Amino acid sequence: MSDHASDASASAPVSARPPVEARLGKVGVWSGQFDFSPAGTVREAVAELDDLGYSTLWTGEVKGREVLVTAGLMLAATRRMTIATGIAQILARNPLTMTAGQLALAEAHPGRFLLGLGVSHAELMSIRGATYSRPLGQMRAYLDEMDRMASEQYRAVPPEGTQPRVLAALGPKMLELARDRADGAHTYFVPPEHTAAARAVLGPGKLLVPEQAFVLHPDATEARELARRHTGSYLRLPNYTNNLRRYGFTDGDFADGGSDRLVDTIVPWGDVDVLLGRVKEHLDAGADQVAVQVLDFDRRGLPRRQWRELAPALLSL
């Protein structure tokens, strides 16, 4: 082979992944609260979500249970739902471990596991002793290794077909990587305007699932107090504030847990019609599914009452 041919081969684009067939439904549930409940309660709660008819449950990874273990617990307790990670931190495990976890869950529960991957944040990675540096390059290299491990190293019984993965993505470059090397993007802490911009980058045929927080409560003062408890924890992270600056928010909006304008944008509150309106905004902007995170006044509780109350309206979309 000539040097010219070698250079052409090295610079050739990665071949497109086959279209993913994901039965996600238009509305899913997102919750990071499961870590505060014992395993038996988690099983009971996710089984109820399955029975209510929710098609997808997203759960994250911070400093609690290992997220692939949590996904296995949830998959075993449900019959129909897709369990999705939003997200599994790539620097928390090496590429072979992530690949093995994904393929093992997919083989055991065909068509019901969706792997969401993310670089996470410098603050969380320092706790793990990992170095957060050049996240775009870290993610690209990690995906290369995952693909290599799946094809060359994984020795267990494989699942059928290519298994879906989405990337946590906010900025245009990570969205482009989600388009080129994954099956789409899972976005978090974003307004509907970001969903429209993300769809423009991803193009058609790629999954786009924004998270949408919500407080089911009629009183503005009390609802915003709860919402600020949520927004305040994320406004310390530059990934989110830098992204919000693209949509007209400033330092003044980030102070003291967030201005009313920011809080009402990121965490609308009120009755079910308010939530339906916001979900429809994301869907109209190009989302395939909206992952609804219902906040509860109980810091360590699960919003099971709200999930029941919202289900008829949300699942009618």
Side-chain angles (χ1 to χ4, degrees), residues 214-216 268-281 309-310 313-314 316-317:
F214 180 69
V215 177
L216 184 63
W269 52 270
D271 61 17
V272 64
D273 288 335
V274 174
L275 177 57
L276 287 175
R278 180 57 59 83
V279 168
K280 289 176 181 176
E281 286 185 63
E309 186 174 337
L310 293 169
L314 289 176
S316 69
L317 290 173

mmCIF file of all heavy atoms in Angstrom, residues 214-216 268-281 309-310 313-314 316-317:
data_model
loop_
_atom_site.group_PDB
_atom_site.id
_atom_site.type_symbol
_atom_site.label_atom_id
_atom_site.label_comp_id
_atom_site.label_asym_id
_atom_site.label_seq_id
_atom_site.Cartn_x
_atom_site.Cartn_y
_atom_site.Cartn_z
ATOM 1 N N PHE A 214 -39.198 19.466 36.884
ATOM 2 C CA PHE A 214 -40.531 20.048 37.084
ATOM 3 C C PHE A 214 -40.922 19.925 38.548
ATOM 4 O O PHE A 214 -40.588 18.928 39.208
ATOM 5 C CB PHE A 214 -41.563 19.323 36.213
ATOM 6 C CG PHE A 214 -42.974 19.842 36.353
ATOM 7 C CD1 PHE A 214 -43.307 21.103 35.875
ATOM 8 C CD2 PHE A 214 -43.958 19.090 36.976
ATOM 9 C CE1 PHE A 214 -44.591 21.602 36.003
ATOM 10 C CE2 PHE A 214 -45.248 19.572 37.102
ATOM 11 C CZ PHE A 214 -45.572 20.837 36.618
ATOM 12 N N VAL A 215 -41.652 20.952 39.041
ATOM 13 C CA VAL A 215 -42.226 20.911 40.384
ATOM 14 C C VAL A 215 -43.738 20.934 40.254
ATOM 15 O O VAL A 215 -44.309 21.915 39.754
ATOM 16 C CB VAL A 215 -41.746 22.101 41.240
ATOM 17 C CG1 VAL A 215 -42.431 22.068 42.617
ATOM 18 C CG2 VAL A 215 -40.234 22.079 41.408
ATOM 19 N N LEU A 216 -44.387 19.868 40.676
ATOM 20 C CA LEU A 216 -45.850 19.780 40.635
ATOM 21 C C LEU A 216 -46.396 20.415 41.913
ATOM 22 O O LEU A 216 -46.653 19.744 42.913
ATOM 23 C CB LEU A 216 -46.280 18.320 40.519
ATOM 24 C CG LEU A 216 -47.794 18.051 40.375
ATOM 25 C CD1 LEU A 216 -48.335 18.670 39.085
ATOM 26 C CD2 LEU A 216 -48.075 16.549 40.417
ATOM 27 N N PRO A 268 -39.798 24.544 35.394
ATOM 28 C CA PRO A 268 -41.156 25.086 35.473
ATOM 29 C C PRO A 268 -41.924 24.430 36.616
ATOM 30 O O PRO A 268 -41.584 23.341 37.064
ATOM 31 C CB PRO A 268 -41.757 24.741 34.106
ATOM 32 C CG PRO A 268 -40.928 23.608 33.597
ATOM 33 C CD PRO A 268 -39.561 23.818 34.141
ATOM 34 N N TRP A 269 -42.962 25.101 37.068
ATOM 35 C CA TRP A 269 -43.742 24.607 38.208
ATOM 36 C C TRP A 269 -45.217 24.912 37.946
ATOM 37 O O TRP A 269 -45.571 25.736 37.106
ATOM 38 C CB TRP A 269 -43.283 25.280 39.509
ATOM 39 C CG TRP A 269 -43.244 26.779 39.418
ATOM 40 C CD1 TRP A 269 -42.184 27.558 39.026
ATOM 41 C CD2 TRP A 269 -44.334 27.682 39.627
ATOM 42 N NE1 TRP A 269 -42.539 28.884 38.994
ATOM 43 C CE2 TRP A 269 -43.852 28.985 39.378
ATOM 44 C CE3 TRP A 269 -45.660 27.519 40.024
ATOM 45 C CZ2 TRP A 269 -44.662 30.116 39.494
ATOM 46 C CZ3 TRP A 269 -46.466 28.639 40.144
ATOM 47 C CH2 TRP A 269 -45.960 29.926 39.880
ATOM 48 N N GLY A 270 -46.069 24.213 38.662
ATOM 49 C CA GLY A 270 -47.507 24.417 38.500
ATOM 50 C C GLY A 270 -48.227 23.102 38.350
ATOM 51 O O GLY A 270 -47.844 22.094 38.956
ATOM 52 N N ASP A 271 -49.265 23.087 37.506
ATOM 53 C CA ASP A 271 -50.070 21.879 37.344
ATOM 54 C C ASP A 271 -49.603 21.086 36.128
ATOM 55 O O ASP A 271 -48.634 21.457 35.452
ATOM 56 C CB ASP A 271 -51.559 22.208 37.254
ATOM 57 C CG ASP A 271 -51.914 23.097 36.059
ATOM 58 O OD1 ASP A 271 -51.084 23.209 35.115
ATOM 59 O OD2 ASP A 271 -53.024 23.662 36.052
ATOM 60 N N VAL A 272 -50.313 20.014 35.845
ATOM 61 C CA VAL A 272 -49.882 19.109 34.779
ATOM 62 C C VAL A 272 -49.881 19.799 33.422
ATOM 63 O O VAL A 272 -49.048 19.481 32.562
ATOM 64 C CB VAL A 272 -50.770 17.848 34.752
ATOM 65 C CG1 VAL A 272 -52.209 18.186 34.418
ATOM 66 C CG2 VAL A 272 -50.221 16.808 33.779
ATOM 67 N N ASP A 273 -50.760 20.775 33.212
ATOM 68 C CA ASP A 273 -50.794 21.460 31.927
ATOM 69 C C ASP A 273 -49.518 22.261 31.669
ATOM 70 O O ASP A 273 -49.071 22.395 30.519
ATOM 71 C CB ASP A 273 -52.015 22.383 31.846
ATOM 72 C CG ASP A 273 -53.319 21.605 31.713
ATOM 73 O OD1 ASP A 273 -53.270 20.465 31.219
ATOM 74 O OD2 ASP A 273 -54.376 22.130 32.109
ATOM 75 N N VAL A 274 -48.918 22.800 32.740
ATOM 76 C CA VAL A 274 -47.647 23.515 32.594
ATOM 77 C C VAL A 274 -46.575 22.552 32.100
ATOM 78 O O VAL A 274 -45.808 22.854 31.178
ATOM 79 C CB VAL A 274 -47.234 24.160 33.925
ATOM 80 C CG1 VAL A 274 -45.830 24.771 33.805
ATOM 81 C CG2 VAL A 274 -48.239 25.219 34.357
ATOM 82 N N LEU A 275 -46.511 21.374 32.713
ATOM 83 C CA LEU A 275 -45.521 20.382 32.291
ATOM 84 C C LEU A 275 -45.778 19.919 30.871
ATOM 85 O O LEU A 275 -44.839 19.814 30.063
ATOM 86 C CB LEU A 275 -45.536 19.188 33.248
ATOM 87 C CG LEU A 275 -44.598 18.034 32.882
ATOM 88 C CD1 LEU A 275 -43.151 18.493 32.767
ATOM 89 C CD2 LEU A 275 -44.719 16.907 33.902
ATOM 90 N N LEU A 276 -47.032 19.663 30.534
ATOM 91 C CA LEU A 276 -47.344 19.234 29.174
ATOM 92 C C LEU A 276 -46.899 20.291 28.158
ATOM 93 O O LEU A 276 -46.362 19.951 27.094
ATOM 94 C CB LEU A 276 -48.845 18.975 29.030
ATOM 95 C CG LEU A 276 -49.390 17.715 29.686
ATOM 96 C CD1 LEU A 276 -50.915 17.675 29.541
ATOM 97 C CD2 LEU A 276 -48.777 16.462 29.083
ATOM 98 N N GLY A 277 -47.115 21.548 28.494
ATOM 99 C CA GLY A 277 -46.705 22.609 27.581
ATOM 100 C C GLY A 277 -45.205 22.613 27.346
ATOM 101 O O GLY A 277 -44.740 22.757 26.208
ATOM 102 N N ARG A 278 -44.421 22.424 28.419
ATOM 103 C CA ARG A 278 -42.971 22.423 28.263
ATOM 104 C C ARG A 278 -42.495 21.182 27.509
ATOM 105 O O ARG A 278 -41.590 21.259 26.664
ATOM 106 C CB ARG A 278 -42.294 22.511 29.620
ATOM 107 C CG ARG A 278 -40.759 22.511 29.560
ATOM 108 C CD ARG A 278 -40.194 23.633 28.688
ATOM 109 N NE ARG A 278 -40.613 24.936 29.155
ATOM 110 C CZ ARG A 278 -40.015 25.611 30.129
ATOM 111 N NH1 ARG A 278 -38.946 25.099 30.719
ATOM 112 N NH2 ARG A 278 -40.453 26.785 30.483
ATOM 113 N N VAL A 279 -43.074 20.030 27.802
ATOM 114 C CA VAL A 279 -42.707 18.813 27.081
ATOM 115 C C VAL A 279 -42.976 18.984 25.592
ATOM 116 O O VAL A 279 -42.141 18.629 24.743
ATOM 117 C CB VAL A 279 -43.466 17.596 27.648
ATOM 118 C CG1 VAL A 279 -43.313 16.382 26.725
ATOM 119 C CG2 VAL A 279 -42.962 17.256 29.048
ATOM 120 N N LYS A 280 -44.114 19.560 25.260
ATOM 121 C CA LYS A 280 -44.444 19.772 23.850
ATOM 122 C C LYS A 280 -43.468 20.737 23.188
ATOM 123 O O LYS A 280 -43.156 20.596 21.995
ATOM 124 C CB LYS A 280 -45.878 20.272 23.728
ATOM 125 C CG LYS A 280 -46.931 19.202 24.041
ATOM 126 C CD LYS A 280 -48.343 19.757 24.002
ATOM 127 C CE LYS A 280 -49.368 18.692 24.345
ATOM 128 N NZ LYS A 280 -50.753 19.236 24.405
ATOM 129 N N GLU A 281 -42.993 21.737 23.927
ATOM 130 C CA GLU A 281 -41.988 22.650 23.365
ATOM 131 C C GLU A 281 -40.735 21.882 22.953
ATOM 132 O O GLU A 281 -40.174 22.125 21.873
ATOM 133 C CB GLU A 281 -41.628 23.731 24.387
ATOM 134 C CG GLU A 281 -42.671 24.802 24.595
ATOM 135 C CD GLU A 281 -42.168 25.887 25.535
ATOM 136 O OE1 GLU A 281 -41.182 26.575 25.181
ATOM 137 O OE2 GLU A 281 -42.740 26.038 26.634
ATOM 138 N N GLU A 309 -49.815 10.664 39.444
ATOM 139 C CA GLU A 309 -50.725 11.732 39.058
ATOM 140 C C GLU A 309 -50.483 12.211 37.630
ATOM 141 O O GLU A 309 -51.421 12.543 36.893
ATOM 142 C CB GLU A 309 -50.578 12.897 40.044
ATOM 143 C CG GLU A 309 -51.575 14.020 39.838
ATOM 144 C CD GLU A 309 -51.487 15.087 40.916
ATOM 145 O OE1 GLU A 309 -50.997 14.779 42.034
ATOM 146 O OE2 GLU A 309 -51.894 16.241 40.645
ATOM 147 N N LEU A 310 -49.224 12.234 37.231
ATOM 148 C CA LEU A 310 -48.873 12.756 35.912
ATOM 149 C C LEU A 310 -49.018 11.729 34.790
ATOM 150 O O LEU A 310 -49.129 12.108 33.620
ATOM 151 C CB LEU A 310 -47.431 13.258 35.929
ATOM 152 C CG LEU A 310 -47.148 14.483 36.806
ATOM 153 C CD1 LEU A 310 -45.640 14.697 36.949
ATOM 154 C CD2 LEU A 310 -47.816 15.724 36.229
ATOM 155 N N ALA A 313 -51.775 11.962 31.747
ATOM 156 C CA ALA A 313 -51.579 13.055 30.798
ATOM 157 C C ALA A 313 -50.295 12.874 29.985
ATOM 158 O O ALA A 313 -50.290 13.029 28.762
ATOM 159 C CB ALA A 313 -51.558 14.391 31.533
ATOM 160 N N LEU A 314 -49.191 12.543 30.667
ATOM 161 C CA LEU A 314 -47.927 12.412 29.965
ATOM 162 C C LEU A 314 -47.957 11.274 28.960
ATOM 163 O O LEU A 314 -47.415 11.387 27.849
ATOM 164 C CB LEU A 314 -46.794 12.193 30.958
ATOM 165 C CG LEU A 314 -46.399 13.382 31.828
ATOM 166 C CD1 LEU A 314 -45.327 12.968 32.830
ATOM 167 C CD2 LEU A 314 -45.909 14.555 30.982
ATOM 168 N N SER A 316 -50.386 10.175 27.345
ATOM 169 C CA SER A 316 -51.341 10.379 26.246
ATOM 170 C C SER A 316 -50.706 11.130 25.080
ATOM 171 O O SER A 316 -51.323 11.264 24.016
ATOM 172 C CB SER A 316 -52.571 11.141 26.741
ATOM 173 O OG SER A 316 -52.234 12.498 27.058
ATOM 174 N N LEU A 317 -49.492 11.655 25.289
ATOM 175 C CA LEU A 317 -48.836 12.418 24.228
ATOM 176 C C LEU A 317 -48.426 11.509 23.060
ATOM 177 O O LEU A 317 -48.079 10.355 23.264
ATOM 178 C CB LEU A 317 -47.594 13.127 24.782
ATOM 179 C CG LEU A 317 -47.882 14.288 25.749
ATOM 180 C CD1 LEU A 317 -46.579 14.789 26.365
ATOM 181 C CD2 LEU A 317 -48.577 15.424 25.028
#
